[in-house]
Amino acid sequence: VCSPEFLFVSCVSAALCGWAEVFIPKTIEVLSGSCVTIPCSFDVEDTYNSHLDETCRALWKSDQTVVFDSSNPKSNTIQGELKGDLKRKDCSTTLNNMRPDHSKEYFLRVECNIFKHNLLNQKLHISVTDVPPTPTLTSSTLKVKEGTSVSLKCSAPAPCLSHPPALTWSSSLGHIQESLQENLDRTKVQTSVLNFNASRIHHGKEISCTAVYNKKDGSPKSSVSTSLTADISYPPKNTTVSVSPSGPVPENSRVTLICSSAANPAVRSYTWYRADGGQETVMGTGHVLDIAASEVSSPFFCKAENDLGAGRSNTRQIEVQCMYQISNLYVLYTLMVNLLRSSDQQQILVTILTIVNQDIREHPQEWLKKVV
C-alpha cells in the first residue's frame, strides 16, 4: 500500500508503488485547427529507473478517458506524437488538430511492464480558442527623448512548434532580431526585437506588432496585433517666420510677424531679434508680433524655446518703401518747374536732388510738409 504522502501517484496492485511526479505547464492556450506541443518530463525513485525501458508508453487522459496513447497513435481520440524518450523521463507530446471541444484538463499516465502510474501532482488545462492571444509589447509605452536608443520587444506564444507565429512590425524603423525563447514552464514564445534611435519623425506614430498564425490543418490563417503610440520629446525644430503683408510695404505701415516651430513639449516662449551690424537686439516677444514696418527694414529673426532647447529661424528682411523714392521725384520736379517758371530744367533737377538728399538725412519727417 502506498503511503499517504504519495497520494498524487496512482498505482495498481501489480505495479511497483513509489513516488513519481510530472513537470508540465498548468495551462496552455491553443489556436483551433493548430497543434500543441506539451513540454513534459517526470521523475521516479532511483530504484525504479531500471524499469523505464522500451516497453513504456505515455497516455494522456481526461478524467478516466484516454485521449492519446503513444503505443497506438492511429486509434487516439486526439491524433499526435510522443516527442520525448520515456527512458530518459521525457514525456513531451504533440497533439494535432485541436478543437474547441478539446478544452479540458489532462493528466499523464506512464505504463511500462511493471511500472504503471498516474502522475497526478500536476494537471494540464488546455484552452482551445478561435482567436490567437494578443502579442505582448515590452515596453508597453514609449516616452523618450530624441536620440535615445530604443528596444521594443514583441512576444507571442508558440504552442505549436511546427507552426510558430510570424511577427511583423508596422514600420521598418531599424534592425529586427527574431528568436524562439522558452518560458519558465518550458512553453515556447516567438519574439521579435526592434532596435532604433528615437527621432522627432517618430513622434505620434503608431508602432504595431502583428502575429500571424498558420494553422496545421490548412484552414485560414489567423492574425492579431498590438500597438503603442510613440511620445518623443525634442527641442524646437524647423523654426520659420512668415510676414503679412510680405512686402514691399510703406514705411509708415504695420506688419504682422508669425514665428512657427515644431516641438515636444510645446514651445513656451518666442523672442524676436533684430540683427544689425553683428549685434542682436530684442525687438519683441510672442508667437505673433505686430510691429511698424520701419522696425523690420533691418535683418531680423525669431527664436523658439521649450524645456529641451531652442530653435532659431533664418534671418529675414522686409523691403520697406521710403516716402521719397526716386519714382516720386518726377512729381517734385514738375512742382518745382511750375513754381519757378524756369526753363532751366537741368539746374532745377540738381536743386531737387540736393534738397531731397539733405533733408532726407536731416529732416525725413518734415520734407513732405515743405513740398506740399
Side-chain angles (χ1 to χ4, degrees), residues 176-212:
I176 296 174
Q177 285 182 309
E178 294 188 357
S179 63
L180 187 65
Q181 299 181 354
E182 186 172 276
N183 295 318
L184 293 177
D185 63 1
R186 296 175 57 206
T187 55
K188 300 298 191 293
V189 60
Q190 185 75 23
T191 67
S192 178
V193 179
L194 173 64
N195 298 297
F196 64 97
N197 288 324
S199 166
R200 63 183 180 85
I201 64 175
H202 303 142
H203 179 64
K205 189 179 188 66
E206 183 179 76
I207 303 174
S208 65
C209 174
T210 301
V212 180

PDB file of all heavy atoms in Angstrom, residues 176-212:
ATOM      1  N   ILE A 176      15.905  44.399 -36.796  1.00  0.00           N
ATOM      2  CA  ILE A 176      14.973  43.453 -36.171  1.00  0.00           C
ATOM      3  C   ILE A 176      15.688  42.128 -35.937  1.00  0.00           C
ATOM      4  O   ILE A 176      16.361  41.606 -36.826  1.00  0.00           O
ATOM      5  CB  ILE A 176      13.730  43.241 -37.056  1.00  0.00           C
ATOM      6  CG1 ILE A 176      12.943  44.547 -37.204  1.00  0.00           C
ATOM      7  CG2 ILE A 176      12.832  42.147 -36.478  1.00  0.00           C
ATOM      8  CD1 ILE A 176      11.782  44.460 -38.175  1.00  0.00           C
ATOM      9  N   GLN A 177      15.529  41.590 -34.731  1.00  0.00           N
ATOM     10  CA  GLN A 177      16.073  40.284 -34.374  1.00  0.00           C
ATOM     11  C   GLN A 177      14.942  39.374 -33.907  1.00  0.00           C
ATOM     12  O   GLN A 177      14.140  39.768 -33.055  1.00  0.00           O
ATOM     13  CB  GLN A 177      17.112  40.405 -33.264  1.00  0.00           C
ATOM     14  CG  GLN A 177      18.458  40.961 -33.707  1.00  0.00           C
ATOM     15  CD  GLN A 177      19.448  41.007 -32.563  1.00  0.00           C
ATOM     16  OE1 GLN A 177      19.157  41.516 -31.496  1.00  0.00           O
ATOM     17  NE2 GLN A 177      20.634  40.457 -32.782  1.00  0.00           N
ATOM     18  N   GLU A 178      14.877  38.169 -34.448  1.00  0.00           N
ATOM     19  CA  GLU A 178      13.830  37.218 -34.074  1.00  0.00           C
ATOM     20  C   GLU A 178      14.445  35.977 -33.436  1.00  0.00           C
ATOM     21  O   GLU A 178      15.550  35.556 -33.804  1.00  0.00           O
ATOM     22  CB  GLU A 178      12.993  36.824 -35.293  1.00  0.00           C
ATOM     23  CG  GLU A 178      12.188  37.972 -35.883  1.00  0.00           C
ATOM     24  CD  GLU A 178      11.227  37.516 -36.968  1.00  0.00           C
ATOM     25  OE1 GLU A 178      11.245  36.311 -37.295  1.00  0.00           O
ATOM     26  OE2 GLU A 178      10.474  38.355 -37.478  1.00  0.00           O
ATOM     27  N   SER A 179      13.707  35.394 -32.494  1.00  0.00           N
ATOM     28  CA  SER A 179      14.181  34.170 -31.850  1.00  0.00           C
ATOM     29  C   SER A 179      13.007  33.451 -31.201  1.00  0.00           C
ATOM     30  O   SER A 179      11.954  34.049 -30.925  1.00  0.00           O
ATOM     31  CB  SER A 179      15.251  34.492 -30.794  1.00  0.00           C
ATOM     32  OG  SER A 179      14.713  35.294 -29.761  1.00  0.00           O
ATOM     33  N   LEU A 180      13.200  32.154 -30.970  1.00  0.00           N
ATOM     34  CA  LEU A 180      12.223  31.343 -30.254  1.00  0.00           C
ATOM     35  C   LEU A 180      12.774  31.115 -28.858  1.00  0.00           C
ATOM     36  O   LEU A 180      13.844  30.517 -28.699  1.00  0.00           O
ATOM     37  CB  LEU A 180      11.993  30.012 -30.973  1.00  0.00           C
ATOM     38  CG  LEU A 180      10.874  29.125 -30.426  1.00  0.00           C
ATOM     39  CD1 LEU A 180       9.514  29.807 -30.609  1.00  0.00           C
ATOM     40  CD2 LEU A 180      10.882  27.769 -31.116  1.00  0.00           C
ATOM     41  N   GLN A 181      12.054  31.605 -27.858  1.00  0.00           N
ATOM     42  CA  GLN A 181      12.539  31.523 -26.482  1.00  0.00           C
ATOM     43  C   GLN A 181      11.649  30.611 -25.644  1.00  0.00           C
ATOM     44  O   GLN A 181      10.538  30.253 -26.046  1.00  0.00           O
ATOM     45  CB  GLN A 181      12.611  32.922 -25.866  1.00  0.00           C
ATOM     46  CG  GLN A 181      13.575  33.849 -26.601  1.00  0.00           C
ATOM     47  CD  GLN A 181      13.667  35.215 -25.975  1.00  0.00           C
ATOM     48  OE1 GLN A 181      12.940  35.547 -25.032  1.00  0.00           O
ATOM     49  NE2 GLN A 181      14.571  36.052 -26.488  1.00  0.00           N
ATOM     50  N   GLU A 182      12.162  30.265 -24.467  1.00  0.00           N
ATOM     51  CA  GLU A 182      11.463  29.325 -23.595  1.00  0.00           C
ATOM     52  C   GLU A 182      11.064  30.006 -22.297  1.00  0.00           C
ATOM     53  O   GLU A 182      11.861  30.713 -21.669  1.00  0.00           O
ATOM     54  CB  GLU A 182      12.362  28.125 -23.301  1.00  0.00           C
ATOM     55  CG  GLU A 182      11.685  27.008 -22.527  1.00  0.00           C
ATOM     56  CD  GLU A 182      12.552  25.763 -22.428  1.00  0.00           C
ATOM     57  OE1 GLU A 182      12.540  24.955 -23.379  1.00  0.00           O
ATOM     58  OE2 GLU A 182      13.245  25.611 -21.400  1.00  0.00           O
ATOM     59  N   ASN A 183       9.809  29.822 -21.892  1.00  0.00           N
ATOM     60  CA  ASN A 183       9.332  30.341 -20.618  1.00  0.00           C
ATOM     61  C   ASN A 183       9.786  29.426 -19.481  1.00  0.00           C
ATOM     62  O   ASN A 183      10.335  28.342 -19.701  1.00  0.00           O
ATOM     63  CB  ASN A 183       7.804  30.439 -20.620  1.00  0.00           C
ATOM     64  CG  ASN A 183       7.302  31.454 -21.626  1.00  0.00           C
ATOM     65  OD1 ASN A 183       7.868  32.543 -21.761  1.00  0.00           O
ATOM     66  ND2 ASN A 183       6.237  31.112 -22.339  1.00  0.00           N
ATOM     67  N   LEU A 184       9.521  29.858 -18.257  1.00  0.00           N
ATOM     68  CA  LEU A 184       9.906  29.060 -17.095  1.00  0.00           C
ATOM     69  C   LEU A 184       9.210  27.707 -17.084  1.00  0.00           C
ATOM     70  O   LEU A 184       9.767  26.716 -16.598  1.00  0.00           O
ATOM     71  CB  LEU A 184       9.592  29.826 -15.800  1.00  0.00           C
ATOM     72  CG  LEU A 184      10.429  31.093 -15.562  1.00  0.00           C
ATOM     73  CD1 LEU A 184       9.968  31.802 -14.292  1.00  0.00           C
ATOM     74  CD2 LEU A 184      11.915  30.748 -15.471  1.00  0.00           C
ATOM     75  N   ASP A 185       7.991  27.640 -17.618  1.00  0.00           N
ATOM     76  CA  ASP A 185       7.273  26.361 -17.636  1.00  0.00           C
ATOM     77  C   ASP A 185       7.591  25.553 -18.893  1.00  0.00           C
ATOM     78  O   ASP A 185       6.925  24.562 -19.185  1.00  0.00           O
ATOM     79  CB  ASP A 185       5.763  26.585 -17.503  1.00  0.00           C
ATOM     80  CG  ASP A 185       5.181  27.386 -18.673  1.00  0.00           C
ATOM     81  OD1 ASP A 185       5.944  27.747 -19.595  1.00  0.00           O
ATOM     82  OD2 ASP A 185       3.957  27.651 -18.664  1.00  0.00           O
ATOM     83  N   ARG A 186       8.613  26.009 -19.647  1.00  0.00           N
ATOM     84  CA  ARG A 186       9.137  25.333 -20.832  1.00  0.00           C
ATOM     85  C   ARG A 186       8.242  25.468 -22.064  1.00  0.00           C
ATOM     86  O   ARG A 186       8.528  24.882 -23.098  1.00  0.00           O
ATOM     87  CB  ARG A 186       9.430  23.849 -20.543  1.00  0.00           C
ATOM     88  CG  ARG A 186      10.521  23.638 -19.507  1.00  0.00           C
ATOM     89  CD  ARG A 186      10.689  22.171 -19.158  1.00  0.00           C
ATOM     90  NE  ARG A 186      10.967  21.382 -20.345  1.00  0.00           N
ATOM     91  CZ  ARG A 186      10.675  20.082 -20.441  1.00  0.00           C
ATOM     92  NH1 ARG A 186      10.099  19.444 -19.442  1.00  0.00           N
ATOM     93  NH2 ARG A 186      10.961  19.403 -21.551  1.00  0.00           N
ATOM     94  N   THR A 187       7.156  26.218 -21.960  1.00  0.00           N
ATOM     95  CA  THR A 187       6.410  26.548 -23.173  1.00  0.00           C
ATOM     96  C   THR A 187       7.239  27.541 -23.974  1.00  0.00           C
ATOM     97  O   THR A 187       8.126  28.217 -23.452  1.00  0.00           O
ATOM     98  CB  THR A 187       5.034  27.157 -22.839  1.00  0.00           C
ATOM     99  OG1 THR A 187       5.220  28.295 -21.987  1.00  0.00           O
ATOM    100  CG2 THR A 187       4.147  26.142 -22.145  1.00  0.00           C
ATOM    101  N   LYS A 188       6.955  27.645 -25.263  1.00  0.00           N
ATOM    102  CA  LYS A 188       7.768  28.471 -26.151  1.00  0.00           C
ATOM    103  C   LYS A 188       7.053  29.768 -26.522  1.00  0.00           C
ATOM    104  O   LYS A 188       5.816  29.839 -26.546  1.00  0.00           O
ATOM    105  CB  LYS A 188       8.108  27.691 -27.423  1.00  0.00           C
ATOM    106  CG  LYS A 188       8.885  26.394 -27.164  1.00  0.00           C
ATOM    107  CD  LYS A 188      10.233  26.666 -26.526  1.00  0.00           C
ATOM    108  CE  LYS A 188      11.118  25.422 -26.519  1.00  0.00           C
ATOM    109  NZ  LYS A 188      10.592  24.364 -25.641  1.00  0.00           N
ATOM    110  N   VAL A 189       7.855  30.768 -26.825  1.00  0.00           N
ATOM    111  CA  VAL A 189       7.324  32.063 -27.239  1.00  0.00           C
ATOM    112  C   VAL A 189       8.196  32.608 -28.359  1.00  0.00           C
ATOM    113  O   VAL A 189       9.423  32.541 -28.299  1.00  0.00           O
ATOM    114  CB  VAL A 189       7.262  33.049 -26.040  1.00  0.00           C
ATOM    115  CG1 VAL A 189       8.640  33.272 -25.439  1.00  0.00           C
ATOM    116  CG2 VAL A 189       6.642  34.368 -26.459  1.00  0.00           C
ATOM    117  N   GLN A 190       7.545  33.089 -29.414  1.00  0.00           N
ATOM    118  CA  GLN A 190       8.257  33.707 -30.535  1.00  0.00           C
ATOM    119  C   GLN A 190       8.470  35.177 -30.208  1.00  0.00           C
ATOM    120  O   GLN A 190       7.533  35.873 -29.785  1.00  0.00           O
ATOM    121  CB  GLN A 190       7.455  33.562 -31.828  1.00  0.00           C
ATOM    122  CG  GLN A 190       8.171  34.059 -33.067  1.00  0.00           C
ATOM    123  CD  GLN A 190       9.266  33.109 -33.525  1.00  0.00           C
ATOM    124  OE1 GLN A 190       9.225  31.923 -33.214  1.00  0.00           O
ATOM    125  NE2 GLN A 190      10.234  33.617 -34.252  1.00  0.00           N
ATOM    126  N   THR A 191       9.688  35.671 -30.365  1.00  0.00           N
ATOM    127  CA  THR A 191       9.983  37.065 -30.043  1.00  0.00           C
ATOM    128  C   THR A 191      10.602  37.777 -31.237  1.00  0.00           C
ATOM    129  O   THR A 191      11.294  37.177 -32.063  1.00  0.00           O
ATOM    130  CB  THR A 191      10.941  37.183 -28.844  1.00  0.00           C
ATOM    131  OG1 THR A 191      12.215  36.659 -29.212  1.00  0.00           O
ATOM    132  CG2 THR A 191      10.398  36.442 -27.636  1.00  0.00           C
ATOM    133  N   SER A 192      10.333  39.066 -31.306  1.00  0.00           N
ATOM    134  CA  SER A 192      10.938  39.930 -32.320  1.00  0.00           C
ATOM    135  C   SER A 192      11.322  41.232 -31.618  1.00  0.00           C
ATOM    136  O   SER A 192      10.480  41.874 -30.982  1.00  0.00           O
ATOM    137  CB  SER A 192       9.959  40.207 -33.459  1.00  0.00           C
ATOM    138  OG  SER A 192      10.539  41.075 -34.420  1.00  0.00           O
ATOM    139  N   VAL A 193      12.606  41.603 -31.716  1.00  0.00           N
ATOM    140  CA  VAL A 193      13.103  42.808 -31.054  1.00  0.00           C
ATOM    141  C   VAL A 193      13.434  43.850 -32.115  1.00  0.00           C
ATOM    142  O   VAL A 193      14.211  43.589 -33.042  1.00  0.00           O
ATOM    143  CB  VAL A 193      14.338  42.506 -30.189  1.00  0.00           C
ATOM    144  CG1 VAL A 193      14.858  43.783 -29.538  1.00  0.00           C
ATOM    145  CG2 VAL A 193      14.002  41.459 -29.126  1.00  0.00           C
ATOM    146  N   LEU A 194      12.818  45.022 -31.984  1.00  0.00           N
ATOM    147  CA  LEU A 194      13.037  46.142 -32.902  1.00  0.00           C
ATOM    148  C   LEU A 194      13.926  47.174 -32.223  1.00  0.00           C
ATOM    149  O   LEU A 194      13.580  47.695 -31.156  1.00  0.00           O
ATOM    150  CB  LEU A 194      11.700  46.767 -33.301  1.00  0.00           C
ATOM    151  CG  LEU A 194      11.735  48.055 -34.129  1.00  0.00           C
ATOM    152  CD1 LEU A 194      12.380  47.801 -35.488  1.00  0.00           C
ATOM    153  CD2 LEU A 194      10.325  48.621 -34.304  1.00  0.00           C
ATOM    154  N   ASN A 195      15.090  47.463 -32.808  1.00  0.00           N
ATOM    155  CA  ASN A 195      16.029  48.438 -32.259  1.00  0.00           C
ATOM    156  C   ASN A 195      16.151  49.637 -33.194  1.00  0.00           C
ATOM    157  O   ASN A 195      16.368  49.471 -34.403  1.00  0.00           O
ATOM    158  CB  ASN A 195      17.412  47.796 -32.075  1.00  0.00           C
ATOM    159  CG  ASN A 195      17.400  46.645 -31.091  1.00  0.00           C
ATOM    160  OD1 ASN A 195      17.110  46.820 -29.921  1.00  0.00           O
ATOM    161  ND2 ASN A 195      17.702  45.449 -31.580  1.00  0.00           N
ATOM    162  N   PHE A 196      16.013  50.851 -32.636  1.00  0.00           N
ATOM    163  CA  PHE A 196      16.155  52.065 -33.444  1.00  0.00           C
ATOM    164  C   PHE A 196      16.463  53.245 -32.528  1.00  0.00           C
ATOM    165  O   PHE A 196      16.305  53.162 -31.299  1.00  0.00           O
ATOM    166  CB  PHE A 196      14.893  52.343 -34.263  1.00  0.00           C
ATOM    167  CG  PHE A 196      13.675  52.634 -33.438  1.00  0.00           C
ATOM    168  CD1 PHE A 196      13.267  53.941 -33.182  1.00  0.00           C
ATOM    169  CD2 PHE A 196      12.903  51.598 -32.911  1.00  0.00           C
ATOM    170  CE1 PHE A 196      12.143  54.211 -32.428  1.00  0.00           C
ATOM    171  CE2 PHE A 196      11.774  51.852 -32.158  1.00  0.00           C
ATOM    172  CZ  PHE A 196      11.396  53.163 -31.912  1.00  0.00           C
ATOM    173  N   ASN A 197      16.907  54.327 -33.122  1.00  0.00           N
ATOM    174  CA  ASN A 197      17.156  55.572 -32.394  1.00  0.00           C
ATOM    175  C   ASN A 197      15.940  56.477 -32.543  1.00  0.00           C
ATOM    176  O   ASN A 197      15.502  56.759 -33.660  1.00  0.00           O
ATOM    177  CB  ASN A 197      18.409  56.279 -32.917  1.00  0.00           C
ATOM    178  CG  ASN A 197      19.683  55.563 -32.526  1.00  0.00           C
ATOM    179  OD1 ASN A 197      19.782  55.004 -31.426  1.00  0.00           O
ATOM    180  ND2 ASN A 197      20.666  55.564 -33.409  1.00  0.00           N
ATOM    181  N   ALA A 198      15.416  56.929 -31.413  1.00  0.00           N
ATOM    182  CA  ALA A 198      14.206  57.760 -31.425  1.00  0.00           C
ATOM    183  C   ALA A 198      14.474  59.087 -32.131  1.00  0.00           C
ATOM    184  O   ALA A 198      15.501  59.735 -31.900  1.00  0.00           O
ATOM    185  CB  ALA A 198      13.723  58.007 -30.006  1.00  0.00           C
ATOM    186  N   SER A 199      13.539  59.467 -32.992  1.00  0.00           N
ATOM    187  CA  SER A 199      13.643  60.727 -33.730  1.00  0.00           C
ATOM    188  C   SER A 199      12.307  61.462 -33.642  1.00  0.00           C
ATOM    189  O   SER A 199      11.267  60.850 -33.386  1.00  0.00           O
ATOM    190  CB  SER A 199      14.002  60.448 -35.195  1.00  0.00           C
ATOM    191  OG  SER A 199      13.810  61.597 -35.997  1.00  0.00           O
ATOM    192  N   ARG A 200      12.363  62.768 -33.885  1.00  0.00           N
ATOM    193  CA  ARG A 200      11.121  63.550 -33.860  1.00  0.00           C
ATOM    194  C   ARG A 200      10.127  63.079 -34.915  1.00  0.00           C
ATOM    195  O   ARG A 200       8.917  63.243 -34.753  1.00  0.00           O
ATOM    196  CB  ARG A 200      11.417  65.034 -34.057  1.00  0.00           C
ATOM    197  CG  ARG A 200      12.030  65.373 -35.395  1.00  0.00           C
ATOM    198  CD  ARG A 200      12.366  66.854 -35.485  1.00  0.00           C
ATOM    199  NE  ARG A 200      12.963  67.188 -36.775  1.00  0.00           N
ATOM    200  CZ  ARG A 200      12.287  67.470 -37.866  1.00  0.00           C
ATOM    201  NH1 ARG A 200      10.963  67.433 -37.844  1.00  0.00           N
ATOM    202  NH2 ARG A 200      12.909  67.780 -38.982  1.00  0.00           N
ATOM    203  N   ILE A 201      10.628  62.464 -36.002  1.00  0.00           N
ATOM    204  CA  ILE A 201       9.711  61.979 -37.037  1.00  0.00           C
ATOM    205  C   ILE A 201       8.883  60.794 -36.534  1.00  0.00           C
ATOM    206  O   ILE A 201       7.884  60.430 -37.151  1.00  0.00           O
ATOM    207  CB  ILE A 201      10.470  61.591 -38.316  1.00  0.00           C
ATOM    208  CG1 ILE A 201      11.415  60.416 -38.050  1.00  0.00           C
ATOM    209  CG2 ILE A 201      11.206  62.761 -38.898  1.00  0.00           C
ATOM    210  CD1 ILE A 201      12.102  59.891 -39.299  1.00  0.00           C
ATOM    211  N   HIS A 202       9.300  60.180 -35.427  1.00  0.00           N
ATOM    212  CA  HIS A 202       8.546  59.069 -34.852  1.00  0.00           C
ATOM    213  C   HIS A 202       7.459  59.542 -33.897  1.00  0.00           C
ATOM    214  O   HIS A 202       6.597  58.750 -33.498  1.00  0.00           O
ATOM    215  CB  HIS A 202       9.478  58.117 -34.083  1.00  0.00           C
ATOM    216  CG  HIS A 202      10.593  57.561 -34.917  1.00  0.00           C
ATOM    217  ND1 HIS A 202      11.871  57.373 -34.429  1.00  0.00           N
ATOM    218  CD2 HIS A 202      10.624  57.182 -36.216  1.00  0.00           C
ATOM    219  CE1 HIS A 202      12.637  56.883 -35.389  1.00  0.00           C
ATOM    220  NE2 HIS A 202      11.905  56.756 -36.480  1.00  0.00           N
ATOM    221  N   HIS A 203       7.501  60.831 -33.507  1.00  0.00           N
ATOM    222  CA  HIS A 203       6.541  61.324 -32.515  1.00  0.00           C
ATOM    223  C   HIS A 203       5.111  61.207 -33.024  1.00  0.00           C
ATOM    224  O   HIS A 203       4.797  61.607 -34.152  1.00  0.00           O
ATOM    225  CB  HIS A 203       6.846  62.782 -32.161  1.00  0.00           C
ATOM    226  CG  HIS A 203       5.884  63.360 -31.171  1.00  0.00           C
ATOM    227  ND1 HIS A 203       5.764  62.888 -29.882  1.00  0.00           N
ATOM    228  CD2 HIS A 203       4.967  64.358 -31.295  1.00  0.00           C
ATOM    229  CE1 HIS A 203       4.827  63.569 -29.245  1.00  0.00           C
ATOM    230  NE2 HIS A 203       4.325  64.465 -30.079  1.00  0.00           N
ATOM    231  N   GLY A 204       4.246  60.641 -32.188  1.00  0.00           N
ATOM    232  CA  GLY A 204       2.841  60.473 -32.542  1.00  0.00           C
ATOM    233  C   GLY A 204       2.582  59.297 -33.461  1.00  0.00           C
ATOM    234  O   GLY A 204       1.427  59.033 -33.820  1.00  0.00           O
ATOM    235  N   LYS A 205       3.630  58.591 -33.828  1.00  0.00           N
ATOM    236  CA  LYS A 205       3.492  57.475 -34.763  1.00  0.00           C
ATOM    237  C   LYS A 205       3.032  56.221 -34.016  1.00  0.00           C
ATOM    238  O   LYS A 205       3.523  55.913 -32.937  1.00  0.00           O
ATOM    239  CB  LYS A 205       4.834  57.209 -35.446  1.00  0.00           C
ATOM    240  CG  LYS A 205       4.774  56.216 -36.602  1.00  0.00           C
ATOM    241  CD  LYS A 205       6.165  56.051 -37.199  1.00  0.00           C
ATOM    242  CE  LYS A 205       6.143  55.219 -38.467  1.00  0.00           C
ATOM    243  NZ  LYS A 205       5.442  55.860 -39.564  1.00  0.00           N
ATOM    244  N   GLU A 206       2.091  55.511 -34.604  1.00  0.00           N
ATOM    245  CA  GLU A 206       1.640  54.239 -34.015  1.00  0.00           C
ATOM    246  C   GLU A 206       2.572  53.123 -34.490  1.00  0.00           C
ATOM    247  O   GLU A 206       2.760  52.925 -35.692  1.00  0.00           O
ATOM    248  CB  GLU A 206       0.200  53.932 -34.417  1.00  0.00           C
ATOM    249  CG  GLU A 206      -0.334  52.660 -33.759  1.00  0.00           C
ATOM    250  CD  GLU A 206      -1.777  52.352 -34.134  1.00  0.00           C
ATOM    251  OE1 GLU A 206      -2.001  51.884 -35.258  1.00  0.00           O
ATOM    252  OE2 GLU A 206      -2.661  52.579 -33.290  1.00  0.00           O
ATOM    253  N   ILE A 207       3.149  52.432 -33.527  1.00  0.00           N
ATOM    254  CA  ILE A 207       4.034  51.309 -33.820  1.00  0.00           C
ATOM    255  C   ILE A 207       3.315  50.036 -33.391  1.00  0.00           C
ATOM    256  O   ILE A 207       2.960  49.882 -32.228  1.00  0.00           O
ATOM    257  CB  ILE A 207       5.370  51.446 -33.074  1.00  0.00           C
ATOM    258  CG1 ILE A 207       6.048  52.769 -33.438  1.00  0.00           C
ATOM    259  CG2 ILE A 207       6.292  50.269 -33.382  1.00  0.00           C
ATOM    260  CD1 ILE A 207       7.309  53.050 -32.637  1.00  0.00           C
ATOM    261  N   SER A 208       3.062  49.153 -34.336  1.00  0.00           N
ATOM    262  CA  SER A 208       2.303  47.939 -34.027  1.00  0.00           C
ATOM    263  C   SER A 208       3.086  46.694 -34.407  1.00  0.00           C
ATOM    264  O   SER A 208       3.935  46.710 -35.297  1.00  0.00           O
ATOM    265  CB  SER A 208       0.950  47.940 -34.760  1.00  0.00           C
ATOM    266  OG  SER A 208       1.143  47.888 -36.155  1.00  0.00           O
ATOM    267  N   CYS A 209       2.770  45.619 -33.690  1.00  0.00           N
ATOM    268  CA  CYS A 209       3.355  44.299 -33.965  1.00  0.00           C
ATOM    269  C   CYS A 209       2.200  43.333 -34.223  1.00  0.00           C
ATOM    270  O   CYS A 209       1.234  43.285 -33.453  1.00  0.00           O
ATOM    271  CB  CYS A 209       4.192  43.829 -32.784  1.00  0.00           C
ATOM    272  SG  CYS A 209       4.819  42.139 -32.952  1.00  0.00           S
ATOM    273  N   THR A 210       2.300  42.586 -35.308  1.00  0.00           N
ATOM    274  CA  THR A 210       1.244  41.641 -35.690  1.00  0.00           C
ATOM    275  C   THR A 210       1.794  40.222 -35.676  1.00  0.00           C
ATOM    276  O   THR A 210       2.873  39.958 -36.201  1.00  0.00           O
ATOM    277  CB  THR A 210       0.707  41.967 -37.099  1.00  0.00           C
ATOM    278  OG1 THR A 210       0.184  43.298 -37.101  1.00  0.00           O
ATOM    279  CG2 THR A 210      -0.395  40.992 -37.503  1.00  0.00           C
ATOM    280  N   ALA A 211       1.027  39.335 -35.042  1.00  0.00           N
ATOM    281  CA  ALA A 211       1.376  37.908 -35.023  1.00  0.00           C
ATOM    282  C   ALA A 211       0.440  37.178 -35.977  1.00  0.00           C
ATOM    283  O   ALA A 211      -0.789  37.271 -35.863  1.00  0.00           O
ATOM    284  CB  ALA A 211       1.239  37.339 -33.615  1.00  0.00           C
ATOM    285  N   VAL A 212       1.008  36.475 -36.940  1.00  0.00           N
ATOM    286  CA  VAL A 212       0.230  35.711 -37.924  1.00  0.00           C
ATOM    287  C   VAL A 212       0.464  34.222 -37.672  1.00  0.00           C
ATOM    288  O   VAL A 212       1.603  33.749 -37.680  1.00  0.00           O
ATOM    289  CB  VAL A 212       0.634  36.068 -39.363  1.00  0.00           C
ATOM    290  CG1 VAL A 212      -0.191  35.263 -40.362  1.00  0.00           C
ATOM    291  CG2 VAL A 212       0.448  37.569 -39.612  1.00  0.00           C
TER     292      VAL A 212
END
